[in-house]
Amino acid sequence: MVLELEETVVMKNTNGHAIELNVKQGEPTLVKPAEDTEKGLYFLSNLDQNIAVIVRTIYCFKSDEKGNEKAGEVIKNALEKVLVHYYPLAGRLTISSEGKLIINCTGEGAVFVEAEANCALEKIGDITKPDPETLGKLVYDIPGAKNILEMPPLAAQVTRFKCGGFVLGLCMNHCMFDGIGAMEFVNSWAERARGLPLKIPPFLDRSILKARNPPKIEDLHQEFAEIEDKSGTSELYKDEMLYRSFCFDSEKLEKIKMIAMEDEVLDKCSTFEALSAFVWKARTKALKFLPDQQTKLLFAVDGRSKFNPPLPKCYFGNGIVLTNSICQAGELTEKPLSFAVGQVQDAIKMVNDSYMRSAIDYFEVTRARPSLSSTLLITTWSRLSFHTTDFGWGEPVLSGPVALPEKEVSLFLSHGKERKSINVLLGLPALAMKIFQELMAL
């Protein structure tokens, strides 16, 4: 049954013609695990506590051989089966006696909604640009939820389009998993939809990342440092925010690496290091930071193989840790690109077992969250294989985020058929975006 809950958005497709996306959502239902699962409280590590934000993603499917009539039913049935293995996703977030987030494994179920759109899938246009107003219609938000405790860890919406295609929209709490964990879950869900067993069941015990007793803080952990806004950037942010996507093909990426290496200061330089440094430097210039203004770069490093011993395969949870680099804006903008790349390389080198255990203990003692003042936070999805997810309708024709979680976040997404290009998504105040766009022209 489809309720008369309609959301209408006028948007422009890639040809610039205005079209109207009208989505009728059905009644939300709760999808419980297909079998009885463990009940009680489920521990979340300090790496999970730090990033309890809602992440909304969409996957667009279209098959020439198969219509979308059974898409909702197939995906819902598969969800029941995969939740047997990932049962904490059927629980609810609550606060532990220590004042931390914890999951109450009630088995209530994930939220599931079927919906219908009034147009063909291709009409939604270019989803490489986050567009919360349009793409937000394709994910289900809990009406009236005031905070994350009122939202289930997982909500899924399947929207059927007139052309026979459909979109799976997911609303998931980052405290449940990082990008790698989310990818493993969605791919496991897709395996169940195709009638296959799970390749690797999840490793559920997060207590292997418990804080030490007594805690042992061995690093400065400047990722938590609050930087004074000497440049009055907060005023600039009162201007209209513009969101843009910049595509770097393999040729452009090579060019940036060449620029970084030309003064022969560096021995080597990866694509991620060069692109992160290039974007950080350009954004700092665009925001017109004063020369003595400190600026911080934050990015996540996958710690799975860096822990000692390494985390088990298919670890269910956040295995990433934030690392950082802080320098003066004048240094960053005036020195050659090799300086910025060196800063990124040093931040990566910092991350080892001792640094990560220290970060876990730092949160235990301080309960501090990383500060985003005068900061660029880069989140990299370009190494994640979301595009391989197959529920039985082939791989997604498109997949990506609905929106950027914070104004300080820039997202790197792989792009193109061979996925060798990288799309950089970010938002800036209108005046700063104008300068940033000019700096992107290589």
Side-chain angles (χ1 to χ4, degrees), residues 122-137:
E122 48 271 22
K123 295 285 187 200
I124 65 170
D126 182 4
I127 75 155
T128 61
K129 297 178 180 67
D131 177 3
E133 205 184 335
T134 302
L135 303 180
K137 306 301 165 225

Side-chain angles (χ1 to χ4, degrees), residues 315-350:
Y315 173 76
F316 174 50
N318 285 278
I320 55 171
V321 66
L322 283 176
T323 185
N324 72 90
S325 177
I326 293 184
C327 67
Q328 288 198 322
E331 264 192 306
L332 184 67
T333 55
E334 296 309 320
K335 287 188 174 179
L337 187 60
S338 57
F339 170 77
V341 173
Q343 296 287 110
V344 176
Q345 290 177 340
D346 289 347
I348 294 169
K349 278 181 207 144
M350 272 201 300

Side-chain angles (χ1 to χ4, degrees), residues 70-327:
K70 294 204 164 165
E73 185 190 333
V74 167
I75 289 172
K76 185 179 178 183
N77 291 343
L79 181 57
E80 289 177 358
K81 292 170 187 164
V82 81
L83 284 176
V84 173
H85 305 277
Y86 285 90
Y87 63 85
L89 289 171
R92 293 296 179 264
L93 271 172
T94 186
I95 302 293
S96 73
S97 55
E98 295 178 334
K100 288 200 222 168
L101 289 171
I102 196 165
I103 295 285
N104 186 10
C105 294
T106 56
E108 275 174 69
V111 173
F112 187 83
V113 178
E114 288 194 59
E116 284 175 30
N118 66 330
C119 61
L121 192 52
E122 48 271 22
K123 295 285 187 200
I124 65 170
D126 182 4
I127 75 155
T128 61
K129 297 178 180 67
D131 177 3
E133 205 184 335
T134 302
L135 303 180
K137 306 301 165 225
L138 303 173
V139 294
Y140 183 73
D141 283 311
I142 305 300
K146 291 180 216 59
N147 57 55
I148 56 165
L149 297 179
E150 295 177 10
M151 301 175 192
L154 170 65
Q157 177 175 316
V158 172
T159 307
R160 292 192 301 277
F161 282 75
K162 296 279 187 207
C163 58
F166 68 94
V167 169
L168 172 62
L170 299 180
C171 205
M172 302 192 281
N173 194 313
H174 207 314
C175 72
M176 298 312 291
F177 26 45
D178 54 24
I180 291 168
M183 184 187 75
E184 286 167 344
F185 163 68
V186 174
N187 287 340
S188 295
W189 181 2
E191 281 167 5
R192 298 306 283 127
R194 299 198 319 276
L196 302 170
L198 262 59
K199 276 196 189 104
I200 313 169
F203 180 90
L204 295 172
D205 182 10
R206 301 189 191 199
S207 67
I208 58 171
L209 293 184
K210 260 193 170 150
R212 292 169 290 196
N213 191 6
K216 202 164 133 194
I217 298 167
E218 298 164 300
D219 285 273
L220 262 180
H221 294 295
Q222 286 187 292
E223 63 268 34
F224 299 96
E226 189 79 34
I227 295 175
E228 186 193 343
D229 178 19
K230 289 182 180 178
S231 310
T233 318
S234 52
E235 279 303 304
L236 196 57
Y237 273 107
K238 287 177 182 168
D239 192 7
E240 181 201 1
M241 283 290 286
L242 296 179
Y243 291 89
R244 294 281 182 271
S245 157
F246 300 90
C247 184
F248 292 84
D249 58 20
S250 45
E251 206 176 303
K252 267 190 180 174
L253 293 168
E254 276 310 310
K255 195 170 177 185
I256 296 170
K257 279 158 76 169
M258 273 170 63
I259 295 166
M261 300 286 286
E262 67 190 0
D263 58 3
E264 298 183 347
V265 170
L266 305 168
D267 297 329
K268 58 182 192 309
C269 168
S270 73
T271 298
F272 172 77
E273 290 161 359
L275 188 57
S276 300
F278 182 72
V279 170
W280 184 26
K281 185 173 178 173
R283 182 179 177 272
T284 305
K285 277 185 181 174
L287 287 168
K288 296 188 173 170
F289 280 7
L290 295 173
D292 64 341
Q293 165 78 58
Q294 283 197 312
T295 172
K296 178 167 59 176
L297 175 69
L298 283 180
F299 58 91
V301 172
D302 178 19
R304 283 165 172 73
S305 62
K306 294 177 186 284
F307 277 106
N308 185 15
L311 293 185
K313 248 189 169 14
C314 221
Y315 173 76
F316 174 50
N318 285 278
I320 55 171
V321 66
L322 283 176
T323 185
N324 72 90
S325 177
I326 293 184
C327 67

Side-chain angles (χ1 to χ4, degrees), residues 45-59:
S45 85
N46 287 350
L47 297 184
D48 303 315
Q49 305 288 332
N50 255 336
I51 37 181
V53 295
I54 301 296
V55 180
R56 296 169 177 86
T57 49
I58 60 170
Y59 303 81

